[in-house]
Amino acid sequence: MKINNAGGKIYFDYAATTPCDPRVVDKMMPYFSQHFGNPSSIHSFGQMADYAVEESRQTVSEILNCSFDEIIFTSCGTESDNLALRGAAFQQRLARDANHILISPVEHHAVLNTAQQLADIHGFEVEFLPVDNFGIVNPDDVKKKLRKDTAVVSVVYANNEIGSINPISSIGAVCRSHNIPFHTDAVQAGAFLTLNVEDLNVDLLSLGAHKFYGPKGVGVLFKRKSTSIVPIQSGGGQEFKFRAGTHNVPLIVGIAEALRISLFEQSNRIDLVRPLRDRLIEIILSSIPETKLTGHPINRLPNHASFVFKGVDGNHLLMVLDSRGFACSSGSACRVGDPHPSEVLTAIGLDPEWALGSLRISLGAFSNLHDTQSLLDKLPSLIQSLRKLTPE
Ligand SMILES: *Cc1c(COP(=O)(O)O)cnc(C)c1O
C-alpha cells in the first residue's frame, strides 16, 4: 500500500495513528451498502451481517486466546478503557462495597480521566502506583498497595508517550492471587506485543484498531467470563448485553482483519523498525547536547523513540519540524496550547525545563532508512537554533 504523504512530508507519528491498510478497506467495503443488514434482524439480510460480526469475533478471540463470548466490540480504545474501568468499579462496589481504584500515573487520558471522574462524581478513592524513572510499575508495589476494598487495578501495557513496557503478566498474577479484577490498556501494544490474555494474566484488555492499520472508530474490550462488569451504554442486548447499540458491521469486520494481518506481519514490521529506532536513539543522544531518552532504553516498543531536550519549547519544535516536512509528536496528543508538562513526564521525575521539550518519533510500515537519516541530518541544528531563541 502507498501512504498519502501529505505533500512530501514524512510521517513519524505511528503511535498517534496508522493509515488503514487497503486490504482492510477492501474487506470492509461490502458491509456498507451491499450486506447492510442489522445483525439483530431475523431475516437473511440480518443473518448475513450477523455472520460477519461473529466471524470477526472468532478471529479476534483466537488471537487473544480467549473464547468468543469474552470479546466485546466498542467504538474505540477509549471506550474500551471507559467500559473496563467504570464497569468493573461499579460492579465491585455493588457486589462487595469496594471503593478503591489503583492505577499507574502513566496511564493514557482515557484511563486517567475516567478514574478522575469516578473519584470526583462517584466517590471512589483513586490511588496511584509508584513508577520508576522509566515509567515502569513494579509488581511488588502492586502487592503492597492492594487492599481488600480494591475494586479494580489498571496498568498500561505499553506507554504511548515514552514507549516503556510494563510487566503485565506479573502484575496480573498479583491481582489474581487477591481476586481483584485487572485491566490493561493494550492500545499502543497491539501492533507489537503478545495479546495472549492467558499469558498476560489479565481480566480486561483494551484495543483500538487504528493503532494497528485498522479503521478509526472501533475497538475491542476483552472481558474474562468470570469478571463481571456493569454496562455503561444501556439499550438493546448487543454484545452479550455489555455494550448496547446496533453493531458497526464494516468496522467490526475491519478490526478483525487488521488484527489478523498485523499479527501475520508483526515480526517483519519489528525487523524493519527496530534498527531504525536504535539508530535514532543512538545518534540523537550522541549528537545533541542536553538530551535525554525518555522511557526504558531496551524494554520499550520497537517503533518508539522519545526524548526531552533541555530548554526547548516542544510545541515550537513540532511546528518547525512540520514546516521542514517531518510529522512528529510531543508524545501526548492532547497537549496543543497547554503550557503544563505532561503527567507522564512529570511522573518519571522530569522538571518542566526538560519535560516541556519532548519529542516522540514513532515508526511504522512505511518508515525507511532514507527518511530516518534525513530527520537525523536536520534535527541537531534545529534544536540548536530553537535553544538560541530561548533566553537562559
Ligand atoms: C491511542 C490510545 C488510546 C485511545 O484509543 P482510541 O482508539 O484512539 O480511542 C488509549 N490508550 C493508549 C495507550 C493509546 O495509545
Side-chain angles (χ1 to χ4, degrees):
M1 62 171 156
K2 184 93 179 80
I3 188 172
N4 173 5
N5 63 358
K9 290 190 196 299
I10 305 170
Y11 193 69
F12 283 108
D13 204 8
Y14 291 83
T17 195
T18 58
C20 190
D21 189 319
R23 292 169 290 182
V24 173
V25 176
D26 285 347
K27 182 109 182 190
M28 288 162 55
M29 283 313 273
Y31 295 95
F32 284 101
S33 304
Q34 197 181 345
H35 309 310
F36 63 88
N38 185 328
S40 303
S41 301
I42 298 288
H43 49 62
S44 50
F45 292 84
Q47 291 313 297
M48 188 83 172
D50 183 54
Y51 182 79
V53 168
E54 295 316 315
E55 196 181 44
S56 303
R57 197 187 308 283
Q58 192 62 38
T59 301
V60 175
S61 69
E62 280 164 22
I63 292 168
L64 270 57
N65 189 26
C66 64
S67 93
F68 74 97
D69 53 355
E70 295 178 309
I71 296 297
I72 300 169
F73 290 114
T74 67
S75 70
C76 56
T78 298
E79 189 195 328
S80 298
D81 285 343
N82 271 261
L83 179 54
L85 221 65
R86 265 183 241 281
F90 289 144
Q91 172 63 33
Q92 292 290 310
R93 173 181 274 178
L94 282 174
R96 50 184 199 89
D97 219 17
N99 281 307
H100 177 238
I101 296 172
L102 206 47
I103 65 172
S104 90
V106 296
E107 296 302 302
H108 188 273
H109 283 137
V111 169
L112 203 59
N113 290 344
T114 302
Q116 189 64 50
Q117 199 195 60
L118 285 165
D120 292 347
I121 298 183
H122 301 285
F124 283 89
E125 181 191 342
V126 174
E127 190 177 358
F128 289 103
L129 291 156
V131 286
D132 64 16
N133 288 340
F134 303 123
I136 292 177
V137 173
N138 184 333
D140 290 337
D141 288 324
V142 179
K143 194 181 283 178
K144 283 183 208 144
K145 294 269 184 194
L146 274 181
R147 307 195 320 214
K148 271 208 181 67
D149 67 337
T150 303
V152 59
V153 177
S154 188
V155 175
V156 65
Y157 191 170
N159 183 276
N160 49 299
E161 275 188 68
I162 58 174
S164 293
I165 300 168
N166 271 303
I168 295 304
S169 176
S170 310
I171 297 170
V174 170
C175 295
R176 172 124 352 127
S177 71
H178 290 78
N179 244 327
I180 308 289
F182 176 47
H183 167 252
T184 191
D185 172 345
V187 180
Q188 199 59 237
F192 292 106
L193 305 178
T194 178
L195 298 174
N196 183 326
V197 296
E198 286 312 304
D199 293 347
L200 290 171
N201 292 320
V202 293
D203 303 308
L204 300 151
L205 177 144
S206 303
L207 288 173
H210 73 99
K211 302 285 172 79
F212 47 82
Y213 307 91
K216 292 165 184 64
V218 60
V220 155
L221 177 66
F222 158 75
K223 185 196 77 68
R224 197 172 285 285
K225 226 176 296 184
S226 54
T227 302
S228 302
I229 58 168
V230 172
I232 301 309
Q233 182 159 302
S234 43
Q238 292 92 349
E239 296 303 287
F240 315 105
K241 300 203 175 81
F242 292 116
R243 202 276 184 180
T246 299
H247 293 98
N248 193 331
V249 182
L251 267 66
I252 288 171
V253 168
I255 192 172
E257 181 69 354
L259 193 60
R260 189 185 71 75
I261 294 175
S262 174
L263 185 73
F264 186 68
E265 298 188 342
Q266 185 168 295
S267 68
N268 280 342
R269 201 179 323 117
I270 292 173
D271 289 346
L272 167 73
V273 295
R274 204 206 304 264
L276 299 176
R277 177 206 65 178
D278 290 344
R279 187 181 180 88
L280 282 166
I281 293 175
E282 192 193 313
I283 296 181
I284 288 176
L285 290 181
S286 63
S287 67
I288 305 177
E290 302 210 271
T291 299
K292 287 181 190 173
L293 180 73
T294 55
H296 199 278
I298 296 151
N299 191 15
R300 66 184 300 130
L301 288 169
N303 71 326
H304 193 293
S306 54
F307 307 89
V308 282
F309 305 103
K310 190 180 177 191
V312 170
D313 177 338
N315 282 334
H316 195 178
L317 173 61
L318 293 183
M319 285 186 277
V320 176
L321 279 169
D322 186 54
S323 74
R324 306 290 161 90
F326 303 104
C328 302
S329 167
S330 60
S332 160
C334 333
R335 272 189 48 207
V336 177
D338 185 349
H340 301 291
S342 92
E343 289 96 339
V344 171
L345 298 181
T346 304
I348 60 171
L350 293 171
D351 55 41
E353 200 183 8
W354 284 91
L356 288 170
S358 66
L359 177 68
R360 178 184 72 190
I361 306 168
S362 51
L363 305 159
F366 303 100
S367 299
N368 58 53
L369 182 58
H370 177 268
D371 292 348
T372 305
Q373 191 56 44
S374 158
L375 175 62
L376 282 170
D377 290 342
K378 302 206 175 73
L379 192 61
S381 61
L382 271 180
I383 299 281
Q384 202 186 1
S385 62
L386 285 176
R387 277 186 174 143
K388 285 209 186 103
L389 294 176
T390 333
E392 291 291 313

